[in-house]
Amino acid sequence: MSDTAGGLLGQVEQIAAGPLAEMAGRIDQGHYPLEIMAALGRAGGLGAHLARNGQRFDQTIGAMEAVSRRCGTTGFLVWAHDVFGLYLEQSGNPALTGSFLERHASGESFGGTALSNPMKALSGIESLALRARRVPGGYRVNGTLPWVSHIAHGQYCGAIAGVEGADGRLSHEIMFVLHCHEKVQLRQCPVFSGMEGSSTWSIVLKDYFVGEDDLIADPARPFIARIKAAFILLQAGMALGVSQGSIDSIREVEPALGHVNQHLDERPDALQAELDDLRERALMLARTPFETGRDYLLEVLDARVQGAELALRASQSALLHQGARGYLMSAAPQRRIREAHFVAIVTPAIKHLRWEMARLMREEMPA
Protein backbone atom coordinates (compact mmCIF):
# COMPACT_ATOMS: atom_id res chain seq x y z
CA MET A 1 0.00 0.00 0.00
CA SER A 2 1.11 3.55 -0.65
CA ASP A 3 2.54 5.36 2.36
CA THR A 4 0.40 8.48 2.03
CA ALA A 5 -3.17 9.26 1.18
CA GLY A 6 -1.96 11.37 -1.74
CA GLY A 7 0.03 8.45 -3.14
CA LEU A 8 -2.77 5.94 -2.80
CA LEU A 9 -5.52 8.24 -4.03
CA GLY A 10 -3.29 9.49 -6.83
CA GLN A 11 -2.81 5.94 -8.10
CA VAL A 12 -6.52 5.18 -7.81
CA GLU A 13 -7.32 8.40 -9.69
CA GLN A 14 -4.99 7.38 -12.54
CA ILE A 15 -6.77 4.03 -12.87
CA ALA A 16 -10.22 5.63 -12.62
CA ALA A 17 -9.57 8.49 -15.06
CA GLY A 18 -7.70 6.22 -17.51
CA PRO A 19 -8.64 2.57 -18.14
CA LEU A 20 -11.83 2.63 -16.06
CA ALA A 21 -13.28 5.74 -17.75
CA GLU A 22 -12.56 4.18 -21.15
CA MET A 23 -14.27 0.95 -20.12
CA ALA A 24 -17.36 2.42 -18.38
CA GLY A 25 -19.66 1.86 -21.38
CA ARG A 26 -18.62 -1.79 -21.69
CA ILE A 27 -19.14 -2.32 -17.96
CA ASP A 28 -22.60 -0.78 -18.20
CA GLN A 29 -23.41 -3.32 -20.93
CA GLY A 30 -22.27 -6.28 -18.81
CA HIS A 31 -18.48 -6.50 -18.65
CA TYR A 32 -17.34 -7.62 -15.17
CA PRO A 33 -14.18 -5.50 -14.60
CA LEU A 34 -11.98 -7.79 -12.53
CA GLU A 35 -8.90 -6.40 -14.30
CA ILE A 36 -9.76 -2.96 -12.91
CA MET A 37 -10.38 -4.42 -9.45
CA ALA A 38 -7.01 -6.18 -9.54
CA ALA A 39 -5.28 -2.92 -10.51
CA LEU A 40 -7.04 -1.11 -7.66
CA GLY A 41 -5.91 -3.84 -5.28
CA ARG A 42 -2.28 -3.50 -6.39
CA ALA A 43 -2.52 0.25 -5.82
CA GLY A 44 -3.78 -0.28 -2.25
CA GLY A 45 -7.26 0.93 -3.08
CA LEU A 46 -9.11 -2.06 -1.60
CA GLY A 47 -7.69 -2.24 1.92
CA ALA A 48 -6.97 1.20 3.38
CA HIS A 49 -9.85 0.86 5.86
CA LEU A 50 -8.39 -2.26 7.48
CA ALA A 51 -6.74 -1.96 10.88
CA ARG A 52 -3.52 -3.48 9.53
CA ASN A 53 -3.32 -0.50 7.14
CA GLY A 54 -4.13 2.19 9.68
CA GLN A 55 -7.93 1.94 9.50
CA ARG A 56 -8.05 4.84 7.01
CA PHE A 57 -11.75 4.86 6.18
CA ASP A 58 -11.23 8.33 4.71
CA GLN A 59 -8.87 6.90 2.08
CA THR A 60 -11.26 4.07 1.28
CA ILE A 61 -14.20 6.45 0.86
CA GLY A 62 -11.99 8.72 -1.28
CA ALA A 63 -10.91 5.82 -3.48
CA MET A 64 -14.51 4.64 -3.88
CA GLU A 65 -15.58 8.17 -4.82
CA ALA A 66 -12.87 8.42 -7.48
CA VAL A 67 -13.97 5.10 -8.98
CA SER A 68 -17.73 5.84 -8.77
CA ARG A 69 -17.18 9.24 -10.41
CA ARG A 70 -16.33 7.37 -13.62
CA CYS A 71 -18.34 4.16 -13.15
CA GLY A 72 -20.97 3.52 -10.50
CA THR A 73 -20.96 -0.23 -11.13
CA THR A 74 -17.25 -0.50 -10.35
CA GLY A 75 -17.71 1.74 -7.33
CA PHE A 76 -20.33 -0.71 -6.07
CA LEU A 77 -17.94 -3.62 -6.63
CA VAL A 78 -15.29 -1.76 -4.62
CA TRP A 79 -17.76 -1.30 -1.76
CA ALA A 80 -18.77 -4.99 -1.81
CA HIS A 81 -15.11 -6.02 -1.85
CA ASP A 82 -14.20 -3.59 0.93
CA VAL A 83 -16.92 -4.73 3.31
CA PHE A 84 -16.00 -8.38 2.82
CA GLY A 85 -12.45 -7.50 3.88
CA LEU A 86 -13.97 -5.81 6.92
CA TYR A 87 -15.88 -9.00 7.77
CA LEU A 88 -12.70 -11.08 7.63
CA GLU A 89 -10.62 -8.74 9.76
CA GLN A 90 -13.32 -8.18 12.37
CA SER A 91 -14.10 -11.92 12.62
CA GLY A 92 -11.14 -12.65 14.87
CA ASN A 93 -10.96 -16.08 13.22
CA PRO A 94 -7.25 -16.86 12.54
CA ALA A 95 -8.25 -18.92 9.50
CA LEU A 96 -9.74 -15.77 7.93
CA THR A 97 -7.42 -12.98 9.08
CA GLY A 98 -4.16 -14.24 7.59
CA SER A 99 -3.28 -15.02 3.98
CA PHE A 100 -6.93 -15.14 2.88
CA LEU A 101 -7.45 -11.53 3.95
CA GLU A 102 -4.12 -10.45 2.45
CA ARG A 103 -5.00 -11.90 -0.95
CA HIS A 104 -8.44 -10.31 -0.82
CA ALA A 105 -7.23 -6.83 0.20
CA SER A 106 -4.54 -6.84 -2.50
CA GLY A 107 -6.97 -7.81 -5.28
CA GLU A 108 -5.48 -11.27 -5.84
CA SER A 109 -8.86 -12.91 -5.14
CA PHE A 110 -12.38 -11.53 -5.24
CA GLY A 111 -15.62 -11.64 -3.33
CA GLY A 112 -18.51 -9.55 -2.10
CA THR A 113 -21.34 -9.52 0.38
CA ALA A 114 -24.62 -11.43 0.56
CA LEU A 115 -26.16 -9.35 3.35
CA SER A 116 -29.00 -7.67 1.45
CA ASN A 117 -31.57 -10.16 2.73
CA PRO A 118 -30.08 -10.53 6.25
CA MET A 119 -29.82 -6.77 6.84
CA LYS A 120 -33.51 -6.43 6.01
CA ALA A 121 -34.40 -9.55 7.98
CA LEU A 122 -32.57 -8.36 11.11
CA SER A 123 -34.50 -5.09 10.84
CA GLY A 124 -37.82 -6.92 10.67
CA ILE A 125 -38.53 -6.09 7.03
CA GLU A 126 -38.41 -9.63 5.59
CA SER A 127 -37.54 -13.24 6.54
CA LEU A 128 -34.09 -14.81 6.45
CA ALA A 129 -33.55 -16.74 3.22
CA LEU A 130 -30.91 -19.19 4.49
CA ARG A 131 -31.39 -21.76 7.25
CA ALA A 132 -28.68 -23.73 9.03
CA ARG A 133 -28.67 -26.94 11.10
CA ARG A 134 -25.92 -27.89 13.53
CA VAL A 135 -23.91 -30.95 12.44
CA PRO A 136 -20.62 -32.43 13.64
CA GLY A 137 -17.85 -29.91 12.92
CA GLY A 138 -20.09 -27.06 11.82
CA TYR A 139 -23.41 -26.38 10.07
CA ARG A 140 -25.38 -27.47 7.02
CA VAL A 141 -27.03 -24.56 5.18
CA ASN A 142 -29.98 -24.60 2.76
CA GLY A 143 -31.87 -21.89 0.92
CA THR A 144 -31.70 -19.43 -1.94
CA LEU A 145 -30.34 -15.89 -1.97
CA PRO A 146 -31.94 -13.95 -4.86
CA TRP A 147 -29.39 -11.18 -5.56
CA VAL A 148 -25.68 -11.45 -4.70
CA SER A 149 -23.09 -9.28 -6.46
CA HIS A 150 -19.34 -9.50 -7.11
CA ILE A 151 -19.36 -13.28 -7.20
CA ALA A 152 -18.61 -16.03 -9.69
CA HIS A 153 -17.50 -19.63 -9.41
CA GLY A 154 -14.16 -19.64 -7.63
CA GLN A 155 -15.04 -16.50 -5.66
CA TYR A 156 -16.80 -16.02 -2.31
CA CYS A 157 -19.05 -13.79 -0.23
CA GLY A 158 -20.12 -13.18 3.35
CA ALA A 159 -23.55 -14.63 4.21
CA ILE A 160 -25.88 -15.11 7.19
CA ALA A 161 -28.17 -18.02 8.00
CA GLY A 162 -30.69 -18.57 10.79
CA VAL A 163 -29.92 -21.63 12.94
CA GLU A 164 -32.87 -24.02 13.30
CA GLY A 165 -33.38 -26.35 16.23
CA ALA A 166 -35.06 -29.76 16.07
CA ASP A 167 -38.43 -28.00 16.36
CA GLY A 168 -37.69 -25.74 13.39
CA ARG A 169 -37.46 -22.60 15.49
CA LEU A 170 -34.54 -20.20 15.04
CA SER A 171 -32.19 -19.93 18.00
CA HIS A 172 -29.72 -17.43 16.54
CA GLU A 173 -27.87 -16.56 13.33
CA ILE A 174 -24.41 -17.41 12.02
CA MET A 175 -22.29 -15.41 9.59
CA PHE A 176 -19.88 -17.29 7.35
CA VAL A 177 -17.74 -17.24 4.23
CA LEU A 178 -19.71 -18.77 1.37
CA HIS A 179 -17.29 -20.22 -1.18
CA CYS A 180 -18.82 -20.39 -4.66
CA HIS A 181 -17.27 -23.72 -5.58
CA GLU A 182 -18.54 -25.98 -8.35
CA LYS A 183 -21.21 -27.58 -6.11
CA VAL A 184 -22.84 -24.21 -5.43
CA GLN A 185 -25.50 -23.34 -8.01
CA LEU A 186 -25.42 -19.80 -9.43
CA ARG A 187 -28.57 -18.84 -11.31
CA GLN A 188 -28.74 -16.01 -13.83
CA CYS A 189 -30.73 -13.00 -12.64
CA PRO A 190 -33.16 -11.08 -14.86
CA VAL A 191 -31.64 -8.22 -16.86
CA PHE A 192 -31.46 -5.07 -14.76
CA SER A 193 -31.75 -1.52 -16.08
CA GLY A 194 -28.20 -0.87 -14.84
CA MET A 195 -25.31 -2.43 -12.89
CA GLU A 196 -25.12 -5.31 -15.39
CA GLY A 197 -21.35 -5.49 -14.94
CA SER A 198 -21.65 -6.27 -11.22
CA SER A 199 -21.76 -10.07 -11.74
CA THR A 200 -24.97 -10.47 -9.75
CA TRP A 201 -26.40 -13.97 -9.34
CA SER A 202 -28.92 -15.95 -7.36
CA ILE A 203 -27.20 -18.51 -5.08
CA VAL A 204 -28.85 -21.87 -4.36
CA LEU A 205 -27.47 -23.84 -1.41
CA LYS A 206 -28.32 -27.50 -0.77
CA ASP A 207 -26.70 -28.99 2.34
CA TYR A 208 -23.79 -26.56 2.03
CA PHE A 209 -21.26 -27.31 4.80
CA VAL A 210 -19.84 -24.48 6.91
CA GLY A 211 -16.84 -25.51 9.03
CA GLU A 212 -15.25 -23.64 11.93
CA ASP A 213 -12.60 -22.13 9.65
CA ASP A 214 -15.28 -20.34 7.62
CA LEU A 215 -17.25 -18.88 10.53
CA ILE A 216 -17.14 -15.08 10.67
CA ALA A 217 -19.44 -14.81 13.68
CA ASP A 218 -21.47 -17.22 15.83
CA PRO A 219 -23.79 -15.65 16.96
CA ALA A 220 -24.00 -13.05 14.19
CA ARG A 221 -26.15 -10.29 15.73
CA PRO A 222 -23.48 -8.77 18.04
CA PHE A 223 -21.05 -8.78 15.11
CA ILE A 224 -23.53 -7.01 12.82
CA ALA A 225 -24.25 -4.42 15.49
CA ARG A 226 -20.50 -3.70 15.70
CA ILE A 227 -19.88 -3.31 11.96
CA LYS A 228 -23.25 -1.87 10.90
CA ALA A 229 -22.25 1.79 10.87
CA ALA A 230 -19.05 1.02 8.93
CA PHE A 231 -21.01 -1.11 6.43
CA ILE A 232 -23.40 1.78 5.73
CA LEU A 233 -20.87 4.60 5.94
CA LEU A 234 -18.59 3.08 3.30
CA GLN A 235 -21.44 3.39 0.79
CA ALA A 236 -20.97 7.16 0.96
CA GLY A 237 -18.17 6.73 -1.56
CA MET A 238 -20.66 5.55 -4.19
CA ALA A 239 -23.05 8.45 -3.62
CA LEU A 240 -20.27 11.04 -3.62
CA GLY A 241 -18.75 9.68 -6.82
CA VAL A 242 -21.97 9.42 -8.82
CA SER A 243 -22.88 12.95 -7.70
CA GLN A 244 -19.46 14.35 -8.63
CA GLY A 245 -19.58 12.67 -12.03
CA SER A 246 -22.98 14.24 -12.62
CA ILE A 247 -21.67 17.69 -11.73
CA ASP A 248 -18.77 17.07 -14.13
CA SER A 249 -21.30 16.43 -16.91
CA ILE A 250 -23.10 19.69 -16.10
CA ARG A 251 -19.86 21.69 -16.27
CA GLU A 252 -18.91 19.95 -19.50
CA VAL A 253 -21.74 21.71 -21.38
CA GLU A 254 -21.57 25.09 -19.64
CA PRO A 255 -19.53 26.77 -22.42
CA ALA A 256 -22.11 25.84 -25.06
CA LEU A 257 -25.35 25.73 -23.08
CA GLY A 258 -24.77 27.85 -19.99
CA HIS A 259 -26.74 30.77 -21.37
CA VAL A 260 -29.95 28.69 -21.36
CA ASN A 261 -29.05 26.25 -18.56
CA GLN A 262 -28.89 29.18 -16.14
CA HIS A 263 -32.67 28.92 -15.94
CA LEU A 264 -32.58 25.37 -14.50
CA ASP A 265 -33.12 25.01 -10.75
CA GLU A 266 -30.12 22.79 -9.86
CA ARG A 267 -26.90 24.53 -10.86
CA PRO A 268 -23.35 23.12 -10.62
CA ASP A 269 -21.94 25.52 -8.02
CA ALA A 270 -24.83 24.91 -5.60
CA LEU A 271 -24.68 21.14 -6.14
CA GLN A 272 -20.90 21.19 -5.65
CA ALA A 273 -21.21 23.10 -2.37
CA GLU A 274 -23.77 20.59 -1.12
CA LEU A 275 -21.57 17.69 -2.20
CA ASP A 276 -18.50 19.16 -0.50
CA ASP A 277 -20.46 19.56 2.74
CA LEU A 278 -21.69 15.97 2.55
CA ARG A 279 -18.17 14.70 1.89
CA GLU A 280 -16.83 16.58 4.91
CA ARG A 281 -19.62 15.13 7.05
CA ALA A 282 -18.95 11.57 5.87
CA LEU A 283 -15.22 11.87 6.50
CA MET A 284 -15.86 13.21 9.98
CA LEU A 285 -18.08 10.20 10.75
CA ALA A 286 -15.40 7.93 9.27
CA ARG A 287 -13.04 8.82 12.12
CA THR A 288 -15.01 6.52 14.45
CA PRO A 289 -16.50 3.84 12.18
CA PHE A 290 -17.11 1.30 14.95
CA GLU A 291 -18.99 3.59 17.29
CA THR A 292 -22.30 1.99 18.25
CA GLY A 293 -24.17 4.82 20.03
CA ARG A 294 -27.69 5.63 18.88
CA ASP A 295 -26.93 9.25 18.00
CA TYR A 296 -23.88 8.27 15.95
CA LEU A 297 -25.82 5.61 14.03
CA LEU A 298 -28.60 8.11 13.33
CA GLU A 299 -25.99 10.49 11.88
CA VAL A 300 -24.61 7.73 9.66
CA LEU A 301 -28.08 6.72 8.46
CA ASP A 302 -29.00 10.33 7.73
CA ALA A 303 -25.76 10.97 5.82
CA ARG A 304 -26.41 7.86 3.73
CA VAL A 305 -29.96 9.11 2.93
CA GLN A 306 -28.63 12.56 2.03
CA GLY A 307 -26.03 10.98 -0.26
CA ALA A 308 -28.61 8.91 -2.13
CA GLU A 309 -30.95 11.86 -2.54
CA LEU A 310 -28.13 14.11 -3.77
CA ALA A 311 -27.10 11.48 -6.33
CA LEU A 312 -30.68 11.34 -7.61
CA ARG A 313 -30.95 15.11 -7.92
CA ALA A 314 -27.49 15.63 -9.41
CA SER A 315 -27.90 12.88 -12.01
CA GLN A 316 -31.30 14.20 -13.11
CA SER A 317 -29.89 17.70 -13.28
CA ALA A 318 -27.00 16.49 -15.45
CA LEU A 319 -29.44 14.99 -17.93
CA LEU A 320 -31.51 18.20 -18.04
CA HIS A 321 -28.39 20.31 -18.53
CA GLN A 322 -27.06 18.14 -21.36
CA GLY A 323 -30.41 17.70 -23.08
CA ALA A 324 -30.58 15.33 -26.05
CA ARG A 325 -26.86 14.54 -26.00
CA GLY A 326 -27.24 13.28 -22.42
CA TYR A 327 -30.21 11.13 -23.38
CA LEU A 328 -28.20 8.96 -25.77
CA MET A 329 -27.92 5.38 -24.50
CA SER A 330 -24.13 5.72 -24.53
CA ALA A 331 -24.11 9.05 -22.66
CA ALA A 332 -22.68 9.34 -19.14
CA PRO A 333 -25.68 11.29 -17.76
CA GLN A 334 -28.10 8.60 -18.96
CA ARG A 335 -25.96 5.92 -17.28
CA ARG A 336 -25.66 7.90 -14.07
CA ILE A 337 -29.43 8.27 -13.83
CA ARG A 338 -29.56 4.48 -13.52
CA GLU A 339 -26.54 4.34 -11.20
CA ALA A 340 -28.08 6.94 -8.89
CA HIS A 341 -31.31 4.97 -8.68
CA PHE A 342 -29.23 1.96 -7.66
CA VAL A 343 -27.56 4.00 -4.90
CA ALA A 344 -31.07 4.83 -3.70
CA ILE A 345 -32.36 1.22 -3.66
CA VAL A 346 -29.30 -0.91 -2.79
CA THR A 347 -29.47 -2.26 0.77
CA PRO A 348 -29.99 -0.27 2.86
CA ALA A 349 -32.37 1.57 0.51
CA ILE A 350 -33.73 5.03 1.33
CA LYS A 351 -36.94 3.47 2.68
CA HIS A 352 -34.94 0.96 4.78
CA LEU A 353 -32.74 3.78 6.16
CA ARG A 354 -35.79 5.80 7.14
CA TRP A 355 -37.36 2.70 8.70
CA GLU A 356 -34.21 2.27 10.83
CA MET A 357 -34.14 5.95 11.77
CA ALA A 358 -37.78 5.85 12.86
CA ARG A 359 -37.11 2.74 14.95
CA LEU A 360 -34.08 4.30 16.63
CA MET A 361 -35.99 7.49 17.35
CA ARG A 362 -38.70 5.44 19.11
CA GLU A 363 -36.23 3.59 21.31
CA GLU A 364 -35.44 4.75 24.81
CA MET A 365 -31.87 5.71 25.42
CA PRO A 366 -30.20 2.88 27.42
CA ALA A 367 -29.58 3.54 31.11
Side-chain angles (χ1 to χ4, degrees):
M1 176 173 291
S2 305
D3 293 332
T4 66
L8 184 156
L9 294 179
Q11 291 183 62
V12 170
E13 175 63 23
Q14 285 187 344
I15 296 166
L20 177 58
E22 294 173 4
M23 199 182 294
R26 283 180 57 210
I27 296 168
D28 188 45
Q29 293 170 10
H31 175 67
Y32 182 30
L34 287 185
E35 67 273 50
I36 296 293
M37 295 295 291
L40 292 169
R42 289 191 295 271
L46 300 177
H49 60 301
L50 300 176
R52 64 188 59 204
N53 296 323
Q55 202 170 288
R56 293 296 301 275
F57 273 68
D58 58 334
Q59 290 187 25
T60 290
I61 290 172
M64 202 181 306
E65 177 181 357
V67 170
S68 301
R69 183 177 182 177
R70 275 71 181 207
C71 175
T73 296
T74 309
F76 171 55
L77 295 177
V78 169
W79 171 79
H81 198 93
D82 286 347
V83 292
F84 183 86
L86 191 71
Y87 304 158
L88 295 182
E89 187 170 74
Q90 293 295 315
S91 72
N93 185 341
L96 302 179
T97 57
S99 60
F100 184 15
L101 177 55
E102 288 296 337
R103 291 195 305 275
H104 179 81
S106 61
E108 296 173 48
S109 64
F110 304 99
T113 175
L115 295 200
S116 179
N117 164 255
M119 281 296 192
K120 285 178 277 192
L122 295 178
S123 294
I125 296 174
E126 61 186 43
S127 300
L128 267 176
L130 299 183
R131 300 300 172 96
R133 290 278 181 127
R134 192 74 160 134
V135 296
Y139 294 90
R140 290 281 179 191
V141 180
N142 287 277
T144 299
L145 288 168
W147 326 106
V148 184
S149 301
H150 194 27
I151 56 164
H153 279 122
Q155 294 176 208
Y156 43 80
C157 58
I160 290 179
V163 179
E164 291 182 328
D167 60 0
R169 295 183 180 180
L170 299 185
S171 59
H172 67 289
E173 298 83 18
I174 59 168
M175 186 169 178
F176 60 97
V177 178
L178 197 172
H179 295 278
C180 299
H181 52 61
E182 64 282 354
K183 294 182 180 179
V184 171
Q185 184 181 357
L186 300 183
R187 289 181 180 167
Q188 191 81 45
C189 291
V191 176
F192 298 113
S193 63
M195 315 306 286
E196 277 296 285
S198 61
S199 194
T200 298
W201 301 82
S202 172
I203 300 180
V204 181
L205 299 183
K206 293 182 179 178
D207 290 329
Y208 177 90
F209 179 71
V210 178
E212 298 291 333
D213 284 353
D214 284 327
L215 279 175
I216 295 171
D218 184 1
R221 285 186 187 239
F223 181 87
I224 293 299
R226 192 169 76 249
I227 62 112
K228 187 172 186 176
F231 176 99
I232 296 168
L233 185 57
L234 282 173
Q235 292 182 340
M238 291 191 290
L240 294 171
V242 172
S243 298
Q244 186 63 70
S246 298
I247 296 170
D248 294 342
S249 290
I250 295 173
R251 296 197 189 282
E252 180 185 312
V253 295
E254 277 296 278
L257 299 175
H259 64 292
V260 64
N261 281 344
Q262 65 179 312
H263 299 289
L264 290 171
D265 292 335
E266 302 275 14
R267 297 289 287 139
D269 290 347
L271 287 168
Q272 188 68 59
E274 189 174 343
L275 175 60
D276 293 344
D277 286 346
L278 180 63
R279 182 186 298 109
E280 183 178 346
R281 183 182 179 194
L283 295 181
M284 180 188 68
L285 292 167
R287 296 173 187 168
T288 56
F290 298 108
E291 193 174 330
T292 56
R294 187 187 74 155
D295 289 348
Y296 175 79
L297 186 54
L298 279 168
E299 281 288 326
V300 169
L301 295 169
D302 185 63
R304 172 70 174 84
V305 169
Q306 296 302 316
E309 291 179 340
L310 178 59
L312 289 171
R313 286 171 35 228
S315 62
Q316 176 173 279
S317 182
L319 185 55
L320 294 176
H321 277 76
Q322 288 220 351
R325 73 186 74 186
Y327 197 58
L328 296 173
M329 192 61 188
S330 59
Q334 199 277 347
R335 170 169 52 82
R336 288 201 186 95
I337 286 276
R338 293 178 281 112
E339 292 173 347
H341 279 89
F342 181 79
V343 173
I345 66 169
V346 67
T347 302
I350 289 177
K351 59 187 177 182
H352 181 177
L353 292 159
R354 289 180 176 160
W355 166 288
E356 287 275 359
M357 292 169 74
R359 180 182 61 80
L360 287 170
M361 291 297 289
R362 288 194 302 268
E363 288 181 356
E364 295 273 345
M365 285 293 287

